[in-house]
Amino acid sequence: MTIALSSTRGFDLPFVAPASRGLSLPVLSLSQGRLQQWALEAAAVEPTDRLLNLGFGGAGAVRRILRLTSAQVTAFDSSPAARELTRTLNRAALRSGRLRLAEGTVEMLPFRSRSFDVVTAFEVVQGWPSLATGLREARRVLGKGGRLVIANERTLATGTALAETGQGPLLPDTDALIALCQRIGFRRVSAERHERKGWLRLVAVG
């Protein structure tokens, strides 16, 4: 079960970034696997969709994505350790050319504009040095009508300041995130919360 959320508020998003300037290697857990599956259900991936995954997601997200499309999948991260784990767990896809790995910073994605039909980001957005810049780059590499899908286990309650939580990096509250995506130029933005888990998934259409 999910609860639909929406916003028409348009304001600058205050975001306090952690010290790291890249994407990080998450610890793959059962809950993260379920979160990824739930998020991918909203991505509406077609068999020919070109897909970019930002943050390797403990390599589990990449394996799930490869099952959804016959087109080439690109996995991007700043972490050499994440790259090697993904390489180890997806050797067959790499050898066949179905999967390519790329390393760099989300602030300057090394891909041509309109290169992908779907961009996914699971449990990584809160670690981006600049949330707005990362979202702009995601929109740039999406083709017309392409979808950005963001999913996180934890987000701030509406109106809560980051400094008040004491919980480490969190995704900003949903209204603020929707408003930022709208300001950047995504044509349609929707978000849902998992009724039992409280997870957030957001879909922004370029």
Side-chain angles (χ1 to χ4, degrees):
M1 297 291 292
T2 54
I3 302 172
L5 303 168
S6 63
S7 174
T8 57
R9 295 160 60 188
F11 49 82
D12 292 331
L13 175 61
F15 179 69
V16 180
S20 170
R21 294 194 59 77
L23 305 173
S24 61
L25 175 61
V27 177
L28 184 63
S29 67
L30 181 60
S31 65
Q32 285 179 343
R34 290 172 176 167
L35 172 73
Q36 293 165 2
Q37 186 64 42
W38 181 68
L40 286 169
E41 291 171 3
V45 178
E46 298 290 339
T48 58
D49 279 348
R50 303 159 298 168
L51 200 144
L52 169 65
N53 185 61
L54 299 174
F56 292 155
V62 173
R63 284 184 291 176
R64 289 182 174 85
I65 290 165
L66 284 165
R67 299 188 192 111
L68 298 176
T69 177
S70 57
Q72 187 179 64
V73 172
T74 301
F76 177 87
D77 203 294
S78 65
S79 165
R83 184 189 63 239
E84 290 309 309
L85 176 60
T86 302
R87 185 186 304 279
T88 297
L89 296 180
N90 297 279
R91 291 191 186 279
L94 282 166
R95 285 195 298 266
S96 70
R98 287 276 331 281
L99 174 65
R100 63 172 176 166
L101 306 182
E103 186 178 345
T105 173
V106 73
E107 295 171 291
M108 190 177 294
L109 294 174
F111 311 114
R112 294 179 180 176
S113 298
R114 301 190 176 186
S115 296
F116 301 98
D117 302 297
V118 179
V119 174
T120 55
F122 305 143
E123 289 288 353
V124 293
V125 173
Q126 71 275 15
W128 291 355
S130 168
L131 180 57
T133 301
L135 291 172
R136 286 191 186 96
E137 278 291 276
R139 183 176 182 273
R140 179 184 66 80
V141 301
L142 277 171
K144 185 176 181 180
R147 288 91 65 203
L148 168 65
V149 182
I150 293 171
N152 267 64
E153 288 190 15
R154 296 188 301 160
T155 63
L156 290 180
T158 301
T160 304
L162 287 169
E164 295 173 359
T165 67
Q167 298 179 40
L170 295 175
L171 196 65
D173 76 71
T174 307
D175 280 348
L177 183 60
I178 290 173
L180 180 59
C181 288
Q182 291 171 337
R183 288 173 63 88
I184 284 170
F186 284 99
R187 294 186 295 111
R188 297 194 307 275
V189 186
S190 62
E192 296 176 306
R193 283 196 183 277
H194 194 284
E195 189 173 68
R196 290 186 297 106
K197 300 292 187 179
W199 301 334
L200 170 72
R201 67 181 180 191
L202 177 141
V203 180
V205 179

